[in-house]
Amino acid sequence: MTCPDKPGQLINWFICSLCVPRARKLWSSRRPRTRRNLLLGTACAIYLGFLVSQAGRASIQHAQAADKRPPRSRDSAEASFPEIPLDGTLAPPESQGNGTTLQPNVVYITLRSKRSKPANIRGTVKPKRRKKYAVASGIPGQEALVGPSFQTQDAARAADAEVLGYAQGGNLAKIGEPSWRLVRGPGFGTGVLDFQLPKARESNIRIYSESAPSWLSREDIRRMRLLADGAVAGVQSVSSTSGARLLVLEGSTAGSLPRCGPSPCGLLKQPLDMSEVFAFHLDRILGLNRTLPSVSRKSEFIRDGRPCPITLWDSSLSPASNDTHSSVKLTWGTYQQLLKQKCWLNGRVPKPEWGCTEIHHHEWSKMALFDFLLQIYNRLDTNCCGFRPRKEDACVQNGLRPNCDDQNSATLAHIIQRKHDPRHLVFIDNKGFFDRSEDNLNFKLLEGIKEFPESAVSVLKSQHLRQKLLQSLFLDKVYWESQGGRQGIEKLIDVIEQRAKILITYINAHGVKVLPMNE
């Protein structure tokens, strides 16, 4: 029998050596069993209490010894027990020197470590920052096709980028190329191109996305850039009363008189005619495609430097008379007769006695809808008979208001066709009025119209007119800024949206048909 070497074990061995023989003797004596059991139970309880006190003292000593050891890092602890999860479980059991393990009586909770990388959330795409390149045109008389040019997100935000996500656009490319390219026109102001410029001037037609709005064609974008950025080679006055000027943008030789032939030209109007730009974008969004491209441009030919609308000069338009500026002379009475005859509808050839022109019946419906939204009166209501005009309106200035007594003889103006396409109209001089109140709208423009184009009416009903107008008008930087940014543009759209609701109410109340007009 070996002698124990620890004090606790020595005491336990001594008590056991005394208690065991004594317990046997008490058990074998003649004393009552009940007293013997009582003494034996008391002794065992005292012994158990002693053992518990010894165990508590040993645990305290073990904890103090553990504190004196060098602390282990959490990473090493986790590496030792990789099967233990990090989201709060029991700590691993501590190993004793003799190979046994001691179950802990304390629950340890480990905190989840921080991620070194952000979690990959499905459906999110990190936006790419696109670089911006600017290369000057090196080909005289042509627009240079250069590398993709997209402003960074910070620049877009600085230029009213709340449009959405707010704004879509496009760039130009040759046929067959996978992507469009940015068109950079030469600097304007002189007829000589400067190829030594250190940096090309930024285009006033800003495009921040890879695809153009669906309602603007590739040719529309090209012409908008030409009007906004093309070099001015010559100037010619068109009318002394209106103050309009014809700008030859490129292609003329030095010393030659400004004229429009093979060279593109733009008709520069006064700052008060800025609604021409809005009309162009509205026409494209409604799917009418009857207006000429128009942009806003700051011109050195205007003394105060205010931006002016410039519209593409189209040499394919039919010659117009000087008094009505129309290629077809019509009065209000004749016009109403044409609406009843429905000329050229469904391919039907009109009879000579009907008095039809070459213009298709659906063209009048498109013009009436377009003119009502913008309240353009200088085509169908030149005498201002359908509303209360102001003193500054042309009909009042020219003394035409009294002619309303004989409306059938009133002459229509600005009825223009193309030489090679007499079936369709071209909307020119689209000066609209946004300050006309709802109780003074010109419903005379809708008189005699029994059907409207389905494509245009669907846009008015779709609740997307505002979004499309914001996206489209944002492309024209000069116009956007001249109207006070998004806040000013929103006010103009409010007017058009309210008139669209009134027009829809008119259609429902009068039983006007909505038909596809894709002839």
Side-chain angles (χ1 to χ4, degrees):
M1 181 176 179
T2 60
C3 182
D5 54 351
K6 293 184 179 180
Q9 295 180 1
L10 181 61
I11 294 174
N12 294 338
W13 175 80
F14 180 75
I15 293 176
C16 290
S17 62
L18 294 178
C19 289
V20 172
R22 181 65 61 182
R24 288 178 180 178
K25 185 176 181 179
L26 290 174
W27 186 267
S28 60
S29 64
R30 296 179 180 179
R31 294 180 180 179
R33 294 286 180 91
T34 57
R35 186 177 180 182
R36 186 186 311 157
N37 294 340
L38 181 61
L39 294 175
L40 183 59
T42 302
C44 292
I46 296 172
Y47 178 68
L48 290 176
F50 176 78
L51 290 179
V52 172
S53 64
Q54 291 293 329
R57 184 179 301 174
S59 64
I60 294 175
Q61 293 177 356
H62 184 271
Q64 292 177 355
D67 293 338
K68 293 180 181 180
R69 299 175 189 171
R72 295 188 301 171
S73 64
R74 183 169 57 188
D75 297 337
S76 62
E78 293 173 358
S80 303
F81 297 91
E83 71 277 4
I84 303 298
L86 296 176
D87 52 355
T89 56
L90 290 176
E94 295 181 1
S95 177
Q96 301 296 325
N98 54 4
T100 62
T101 59
L102 176 64
Q103 294 296 333
N105 57 355
V106 180
V107 177
Y108 294 89
I109 299 177
T110 7
L111 299 177
R112 185 182 296 272
S113 60
K114 295 182 179 179
R115 294 179 183 269
S116 58
K117 296 181 180 180
N120 292 327
I121 302 176
R122 183 176 300 177
T124 58
V125 180
K126 185 178 181 181
K128 297 181 180 179
R129 298 180 64 87
R130 298 183 177 93
K131 295 183 179 181
K132 176 176 152 185
Y133 303 91
V135 181
S137 173
I139 304 177
Q142 296 183 2
E143 295 162 335
L145 298 177
V146 297
S149 174
F150 305 112
Q151 290 196 357
T152 60
Q153 295 177 353
D154 295 337
R157 294 191 191 99
D160 295 307
E162 65 266 16
V163 178
L164 16 272
Y166 89 82
Q168 299 178 355
N171 33 358
L172 303 175
K174 298 179 181 178
I175 298 177
E177 292 185 353
S179 61
W180 290 11
R181 304 294 181 88
L182 172 64
V183 177
R184 293 292 186 189
F188 72 93
T190 60
V192 182
L193 300 178
D194 187 3
F195 301 107
Q196 305 299 326
L197 293 176
K199 182 183 294 186
R201 184 172 58 88
E202 181 182 0
S203 174
N204 288 322
I205 304 302
R206 49 189 177 185
I207 298 174
Y208 293 151
S209 61
E210 298 180 0
S211 60
S214 58
W215 52 87
L216 291 175
S217 66
R218 186 177 303 182
E219 188 67 15
D220 286 335
I221 298 295
R222 188 189 71 83
R223 291 174 176 177
M224 289 170 63
R225 287 197 179 277
L226 175 64
L227 294 172
D229 308 323
V232 178
V235 184
Q236 180 180 1
S237 296
V238 177
S239 173
S240 59
T241 57
S242 63
R245 293 177 173 87
L246 193 64
L247 305 184
V248 180
L249 298 177
E250 59 183 355
S252 62
T253 59
S256 63
L257 295 177
R259 56 177 181 161
C260 293
S263 301
C265 295
L267 188 63
L268 185 68
K269 298 186 178 182
Q270 295 298 316
L272 295 177
D273 300 328
M274 287 294 288
S275 56
E276 294 258 6
V277 179
F278 192 100
F280 162 68
H281 290 273
L282 179 63
D283 167 74
R284 293 300 193 266
I285 291 172
L286 295 179
L288 304 178
N289 299 322
R290 293 296 181 266
T291 63
L292 299 173
S294 181
V295 302
S296 182
R297 177 168 179 165
K298 291 182 179 180
S299 176
E300 63 275 21
F301 305 107
I302 304 299
R303 292 182 179 180
D304 55 6
R306 288 186 297 169
C308 304
I310 178 172
T311 305
L312 183 69
W313 179 271
D314 192 345
S315 59
S316 66
L317 299 182
S318 298
S321 61
N322 294 329
D323 52 349
T324 62
H325 302 284
S326 299
S327 57
V328 178
K329 293 185 178 181
L330 291 175
T331 61
W332 177 260
T334 307
Y335 165 67
Q336 292 297 317
Q337 290 296 325
L338 296 180
L339 294 179
K340 294 178 181 179
Q341 298 297 340
K342 299 183 179 180
C343 303
W344 305 101
L345 185 62
N346 298 325
R348 183 182 57 177
V349 180
K351 297 180 180 181
E353 58 268 20
W354 291 355
C356 289
T357 63
E358 294 179 305
I359 301 173
H360 194 279
H361 175 68
H362 286 165
E363 295 299 297
W364 305 114
S365 300
K366 297 177 181 180
M367 175 181 286
L369 180 144
F370 184 71
D371 286 2
F372 180 81
L373 292 176
L374 293 172
Q375 287 295 294
I376 301 173
Y377 66 88
N378 61 358
R379 270 191 283 261
L380 299 175
D381 191 13
T382 55
N383 296 337
C384 303
C385 301
F387 67 102
R388 300 185 302 273
R390 300 174 301 178
K391 295 180 180 180
E392 55 269 21
D393 287 330
C395 57
V396 178
Q397 295 289 334
N398 299 329
L400 301 177
R401 178 71 173 173
N403 297 336
C404 293
D405 297 335
D406 185 12
Q407 296 189 26
N408 289 332
S409 61
T411 305
L412 306 187
H414 305 294
I415 308 299
I416 298 293
Q417 309 157 287
R418 284 189 171 91
K419 299 176 184 177
H420 62 279
D421 187 15
R423 291 285 185 271
H424 300 96
L425 293 173
V426 179
F427 302 162
I428 64 170
D429 288 343
N430 304 310
K431 183 179 180 181
F433 296 89
F434 294 91
D435 56 349
R436 193 167 296 165
S437 59
E438 297 178 11
D439 60 347
N440 194 29
L441 296 180
N442 192 354
F443 283 92
K444 181 179 173 62
L445 304 174
L446 306 179
E447 187 174 338
I449 302 297
K450 302 301 180 182
E451 58 273 320
F452 283 114
E454 183 182 26
S455 60
V457 175
S458 63
V459 173
L460 300 180
K461 292 182 178 180
S462 65
Q463 306 297 324
H464 296 305
L465 179 61
R466 176 179 297 272
Q467 176 187 0
K468 291 182 178 181
L469 282 172
L470 286 173
Q471 293 176 355
S472 193
L473 294 171
F474 183 78
L475 300 180
D476 195 327
K477 180 181 178 181
V478 177
Y479 179 80
W480 184 272
E481 294 176 351
S482 68
Q483 302 302 312
R486 176 165 184 169
Q487 185 177 3
I489 298 294
E490 292 271 13
K491 294 180 180 179
L492 301 180
I493 299 177
D494 290 340
V495 175
I496 300 300
E497 280 191 335
Q498 186 61 29
R499 292 177 184 175
K501 293 178 181 179
I502 295 175
L503 179 61
I504 298 301
T505 304
Y506 177 89
I507 292 175
N508 297 331
H510 291 78
V512 180
K513 297 180 181 180
V514 179
L515 304 175
M517 298 182 180
N518 301 321
E519 81 289 342

